[in-house]
Amino acid sequence: MHRLALLIIAAAAAAQPTKTPMTLDEFFDAVDIRSVRMSPDGHAVVIETARADWEGDRFRNDLWLYRDDGAGSLVELTRSGHDRGPEWSPDGQWIAFLSDREGSEEKSEKPDQVWVIALHGGEAVAVTHGEEKVHAFAWAPDSRRIYFATRTPWTKERQEAYKKDWKDVVEFRESERGDAIARVEVATGAVKPVAATPLRVKQMEASPDGKTLAFLTDSVSERQEFMEAYGIYLVDAAGGEPRKLVQRPAVLDSLHWAPDSRHIFFSFLYGSVEGKYQDAQPRVYWVDAVSPSARITRWAKFPGAVTGYTVTQEGGLLIAGRMGTEVHVYREEPHIFVMQSGHLGTYEQLSAAARATRVAFVHSTLTEPPEVYFGEGILDAHPITSFNRVIAERALPEGRPYHWTADDGVTVEGMLIYPPGKMGGTNLRMLTLIHGGPGDADGNHFEADWYQWGSLAATQGWLVFEPNYRGSTGYGDQFTLGIIPHIVSRPGQDILEGVDALVKDGIADPDNLTIGGYSYGGYLTNWLITQTTRFKAAVTGAGAVEHVANWGNDDTTYDDTYLLGGLPWDMMKNYNDEAAIWQIDKVKTPTHIVGGAEDIRVYVGEQYLLERALRAQGVPVKLLIFPGEGHELDKNPWHGKIKVREELKWIEARVAP
């Protein structure tokens, strides 16, 4: 009887349909979940998604509303494809968002304005109007008014006079100007000026007591040239002169008031809040907005990188914290963040209710595409979306962390993604796919786009090696800062030693190795093909091959200067020693190159320079330039799809099947 039962089970298993591999089309039809916002009472969630509109040659941004109404309903809240950045009114009755939906049929350049839509349905209505784009907005606590910031408007006469004088000539700096902050009555549309700043307003939020508006600034050009542009300012909610609260050598980010209307939480992207500039891992602080000394305190210790946070009902924090290849949720306790019970993988877009204990977030793993979860706690939350259901039904690659020891004794970690059904396989053809940043890391998460396409490559039969080289986050500040000023040679050595270890362990086939990366991953790819001929093919994008012209054209010049130890004329040796162009005569690897035509994060001229240098050496090379794109290929979905399609073809053609 026991044997018969086993035979029945085996027969039933054999009858089950085998999952089919994920296709290129399905991969690029994946839905990206851009933001998740929990309603103040914890009974609803508004979600922003982005997906490809292949016929429209653009990406759609739409808003969805989930209601915890017993049945748990999810409806499409807006359908224009131009809506983003949703925020709940404090009373939970309205959702405001940014949109350039007017004129979308004609594809005309309309500036983002603030729109509102009622929780219980109806048409969205624009509450701001003007020729200038709204940079940031925030609800007043009474839910009757919205604060918003735009570039300081000019009168029609002044605009016409300027155009008459300058025609189509660009005054590179002189044409830039700061922002005006105003408030609008949602019911009547009446607008009243609040404040002005010579800087650009990146984010704003009103204090819970309604007395003070806090705003976070950026440079007017959005180029990271001078740290003085980044700060937190306060202004009386009724209007007045802004007062600087925080200014540090750091690019500040993500500002939120504490419930006490006295303290303000904030994080940073680059730099340091506690001392001189350094690219340490992101952290969270709060500042006393009432005390004349504006005391700043680091909000609990965490050895990894804080990738996001939300303020809880009690006024504490939940953070998404990266440690190694996992991003878990941590709750603050006195002086330390403590990991919450939950599942392996990556947590993003944390959002806690202001007047309830409920939370919402995005979760994914290598075998689970991202979806939104909702519940009383992290462990008890359940999925409320199935945006990526098709991908979830496919045979997805599995993965695991991999460790090796660098030449200086430091332990380095990476992620191995195996082809479906080949977990733990040996002697596999391998693609080393290098993340950008460098302040980032790869791990146990699913992402489907032109930048992170390791899962698709694995589906095509590749073992994908994603190294978290020196400079990556999630391994402590010393590890993150360990590349200065050897910004490609040190992490490049880490990567090559990881490849060697995989070959020695019999996991990777030494005769079928390829390499690639974008942005900083492109920097490293360009460097590594000058250091070895072991790779049969390389795919690189938006990566520099020298550092002087790139410093002069980059929009993150402050960061570049720090990483290389100083300015070009002060640190000439560093700039030259870490430049692939001076060793390009060693390259034998066939190389595929891509770049955005309008990229200023990594000057697109670097891609032309690399192509010409390799062609001059007789190395097989191909260059694709995507019109209208900057560093992020986010204008036309066809560009990213064609990029990955051609990169896969390039490496496939140069190794054994």
Side-chain angles (χ1 to χ4, degrees):
M1 189 70 176
H2 178 66
R3 179 174 175 173
L4 178 60
L6 289 177
L7 289 173
I8 292 172
I9 293 171
Q16 293 295 320
T18 302
K19 288 187 176 181
T20 59
M22 175 175 54
T23 67
L24 177 76
D25 289 344
E26 290 169 343
F27 184 79
F28 279 97
D29 280 337
V31 175
D32 184 19
I33 302 168
R34 294 286 178 86
S35 68
V36 175
R37 293 290 186 271
M38 177 75 78
S39 65
D41 64 5
H43 289 291
V45 182
V46 62
I47 302 161
E48 177 194 345
T49 62
R51 68 178 75 201
D53 177 354
W54 300 110
E55 293 185 0
D57 296 341
R58 68 180 182 91
F59 289 96
R60 292 184 58 89
N61 288 78
D62 295 299
L63 304 183
W64 301 75
L65 180 66
Y66 172 81
R67 297 174 189 266
D68 183 29
D69 53 8
S73 60
L74 178 69
V75 298
E76 196 168 5
L77 186 66
T78 66
R79 300 174 182 271
S80 80
H82 289 256
D83 308 326
R84 61 184 182 82
E87 295 292 347
W88 288 93
S89 61
D91 63 8
Q93 298 304 305
W94 299 88
I95 298 166
F97 58 93
L98 294 175
S99 182
D100 62 350
R101 57 169 59 191
E102 290 182 339
S104 60
E105 293 300 318
E106 297 81 18
K107 297 184 180 180
S108 57
E109 293 292 330
K110 293 290 184 180
D112 283 341
Q113 298 298 323
V114 180
W115 293 64
V116 297
I117 189 169
L119 169 64
H120 299 292
E123 294 296 321
V125 178
V127 295
T128 66
H129 307 272
E131 297 299 318
E132 297 291 345
K133 175 181 178 180
V134 174
H135 297 155
F137 73 90
W139 284 96
D142 61 9
S143 300
R144 298 177 181 177
R145 294 165 290 170
I146 293 176
Y147 298 94
F148 66 98
T150 70
R151 188 173 66 162
T152 302
W154 278 356
T155 64
K156 183 177 180 180
E157 292 74 19
R158 187 171 182 183
Q159 288 176 342
E160 291 176 348
Y162 188 85
K163 185 174 181 180
K164 180 180 179 180
D165 284 347
W166 292 101
K167 306 300 181 185
D168 61 348
V169 175
V170 176
E171 288 187 287
F172 178 56
R173 296 193 188 276
E174 290 78 5
S175 62
E176 298 167 351
R177 58 185 189 267
D179 277 11
I181 300 173
R183 69 171 183 260
V184 58
E185 299 289 336
V186 174
T188 66
V191 177
K192 181 178 180 180
V194 173
T197 171
L199 300 166
R200 179 186 176 95
V201 177
K202 179 179 177 181
Q203 186 195 351
M204 60 173 62
E205 189 170 292
S207 60
D209 62 12
K211 296 179 180 179
T212 309
L213 182 69
F215 61 93
L216 192 151
T217 59
D218 196 352
S219 69
V220 290
S221 66
E222 297 184 271
R223 297 186 298 269
Q224 294 174 11
E225 297 178 292
F226 311 106
M227 288 296 104
E228 293 77 13
Y230 306 101
I232 297 174
Y233 292 77
L234 302 178
V235 64
D236 190 286
E241 187 70 21
R243 172 174 68 88
K244 184 188 294 184
L245 179 67
V246 176
Q247 203 283 310
R248 292 290 188 273
V251 179
L252 304 182
D253 191 52
S254 191
L255 170 154
H256 294 289
W257 281 93
D260 64 5
S261 293
R262 178 180 181 122
H263 294 91
I264 297 174
F265 294 102
F266 67 94
S267 60
F268 69 92
L269 298 176
Y270 310 102
S272 175
V273 173
E274 301 173 57
K276 65 180 182 178
Y277 186 99
Q278 62 173 354
D279 277 341
Q281 300 176 112
R283 302 175 181 134
V284 180
Y285 297 83
W286 78 349
V287 57
D288 189 333
V290 175
S291 170
S293 64
R295 182 182 177 187
I296 297 173
T297 305
R298 183 175 174 181
W299 192 260
K301 301 290 184 180
F302 183 67
V306 176
T307 61
Y309 74 94
T310 185
V311 182
T312 66
Q313 178 186 19
E314 301 83 11
L317 294 184
L318 285 177
I319 69 162
R322 177 181 294 283
M323 287 291 292
T325 57
E326 303 282 328
V327 179
H328 289 295
V329 178
Y330 297 76
R331 181 180 293 275
E332 56 82 21
E333 294 186 5
H335 311 300
I336 194 169
F337 283 110
V338 177
M339 188 170 72
Q340 302 299 285
S341 297
H343 302 285
L344 294 177
T346 294
Y347 291 81
E348 302 172 281
Q349 303 291 346
L350 294 176
S351 182
R355 299 191 296 273
T357 57
R358 292 180 170 180
V359 294
F361 53 85
V362 175
H363 178 263
S364 73
T365 69
L366 280 172
T367 56
E368 299 172 304
E371 299 293 352
V372 181
Y373 289 69
F374 166 89
E376 294 292 338
I378 301 301
L379 187 60
D380 298 329
H382 61 276
I384 59 174
T385 64
S386 56
F387 295 131
N388 292 303
R389 179 181 64 256
V390 171
I391 293 177
E393 294 171 350
R394 297 296 177 254
L396 296 178
E398 296 179 275
R400 66 178 179 88
Y402 179 78
H403 301 87
W404 67 99
T405 302
D407 58 298
D408 58 356
V410 172
T411 298
V412 188
E413 184 179 49
M415 201 73 186
L416 289 180
I417 307 177
Y418 289 84
K422 294 187 177 180
M423 182 69 177
T426 58
N427 202 40
L428 300 171
R429 60 181 190 166
M430 187 171 79
L431 167 64
T432 298
L433 193 59
I434 309 170
H435 72 73
D440 199 355
D442 282 314
N444 185 15
H445 71 120
F446 190 97
E447 188 165 346
D449 61 21
W450 56 270
Y451 174 66
Q452 290 187 310
W453 47 282
S455 291
L456 181 63
T459 298
Q460 302 296 317
W462 291 90
L463 171 68
V464 179
F465 172 43
E466 297 179 333
N468 288 336
Y469 51 83
R470 219 81 56 99
S472 301
T473 56
Y475 299 93
D477 288 345
Q478 184 176 353
F479 190 90
T480 298
L481 300 174
I483 63 173
I484 303 164
H486 308 294
I487 66 169
V488 289
S489 59
R490 178 62 265 176
Q493 185 68 17
D494 287 346
I495 294 168
L496 289 183
E497 289 167 349
V499 172
D500 287 341
L502 285 162
V503 169
K504 182 179 179 181
D505 288 346
I507 299 172
D509 178 357
D511 296 323
N512 287 288
L513 302 174
T514 61
I515 193 167
Y518 190 90
S519 191
Y520 203 84
Y523 279 60
L524 288 166
T525 300
N526 299 344
W527 172 262
L528 287 170
I529 60 176
T530 71
Q531 304 300 300
T532 180
T533 59
R534 76 188 71 185
F535 299 111
K536 302 299 183 183
V539 290
T540 181
V545 291
E546 59 76 55
H547 304 294
V548 178
N550 192 56
W551 169 85
N553 291 276
D554 196 342
D555 67 344
T556 59
T557 56
Y558 204 97
D559 188 52
D560 291 348
T561 303
Y562 167 74
L563 290 173
L564 283 160
L567 293 164
W569 45 89
D570 294 328
M571 294 294 174
M572 185 184 304
K573 187 176 187 302
N574 290 351
Y575 279 71
N576 287 334
D577 286 352
E578 298 293 308
I581 191 64
W582 305 125
Q583 301 187 52
I584 214 76
D585 58 322
K586 301 176 184 177
V587 179
K588 305 297 180 186
T589 307
T591 302
H592 188 280
I593 310 167
V594 300
E598 298 178 15
D599 191 354
I600 59 170
R601 175 59 48 86
V602 178
Y603 174 43
V604 68
E606 298 290 320
Q607 314 318 312
Y608 287 105
L609 175 58
L610 176 59
E611 193 275 345
R612 179 169 295 178
L614 293 180
R615 191 166 295 277
Q617 295 296 316
V619 176
V621 62
K622 184 172 183 176
L623 171 62
L624 302 181
I625 297 293
F626 302 115
E629 300 283 7
H631 194 61
E632 305 289 334
L633 305 184
D634 57 3
K635 302 297 187 295
N636 186 334
W638 285 105
H639 294 158
K641 188 173 184 178
I642 291 170
K643 168 192 177 289
V644 174
R645 182 193 73 193
E646 295 306 306
E647 288 173 330
L648 279 168
K649 286 182 181 178
W650 187 266
I651 60 175
E652 284 282 352
R654 287 163 176 82
V655 300

